[in-house]
Amino acid sequence: QVQLVESGGGLVQAGGSLRLSCAASGRSVSNYAMGWFRQAPGKDREFVATISRNGATIYYTDSVKGRFAISRDNAKNTVYLQMNSLQPEDTAVYYCAAASSAYAAKLGSANYWGQGTQVTVSS
């Protein structure tokens, strides 16, 4: 019932910034907690950030705290991930997901997934 399309990825120098967007179609994202995940080459998928339906609850993985910020605009049916102070270890394919709750997303559970957008950070 939900289709998710990520955009905004690309190549950036270490210390730089990118802003990822996730546009949804079908059911409104206001019905879901939204999350971001990433997968680096040769590594498992990793939880990055999640935000509850009304934005009151936000979780980040420790490695991005203070650098990344998740936000949502339900009127635009879009969720964002602002990434600052990027480092080479942030290089990965980033995936947007819709989940039943922020707590579920934190544990890696989601109902719908996007196709991903590549983020590459050079040193």
Side-chain angles (χ1 to χ4, degrees):
Q1 292 291 327
V2 178
Q3 298 180 32
L4 304 171
V5 180
E6 302 92 337
S7 63
L11 176 64
V12 65
Q13 190 173 354
S17 299
L18 285 174
R19 189 191 193 211
L20 305 183
S21 297
C22 174
S25 61
R27 193 173 179 85
S28 173
V29 297
S30 65
N31 297 111
Y32 301 94
M34 301 297 295
W36 289 95
F37 299 78
R38 65 187 181 186
Q39 187 167 24
K43 300 184 68 176
D44 293 334
R45 182 187 64 194
E46 177 189 21
F47 165 76
V48 176
T50 184
I51 184 169
S52 62
R53 295 178 183 182
N54 63 0
T57 301
I58 293 176
Y59 297 112
Y60 297 101
T61 192
D62 287 345
S63 64
V64 308
K65 288 180 179 177
R67 300 190 299 120
F68 290 11
I70 188 171
S71 62
R72 65 190 301 158
D73 188 338
N74 288 344
K76 296 181 178 180
N77 225 28
T78 302
V79 63
Y80 306 95
L81 185 68
Q82 178 67 46
M83 304 185 294
N84 299 323
S85 301
L86 284 163
Q87 301 299 314
E89 55 264 33
D90 296 315
T91 295
V93 176
Y94 283 70
Y95 297 93
C96 176
S100 59
S101 71
Y103 311 100
K106 182 183 179 182
L107 297 175
S109 179
N111 297 314
Y112 303 97
W113 297 85
Q115 293 299 307
T117 185
Q118 177 70 47
V119 172
T120 302
V121 184
S122 63
S123 60

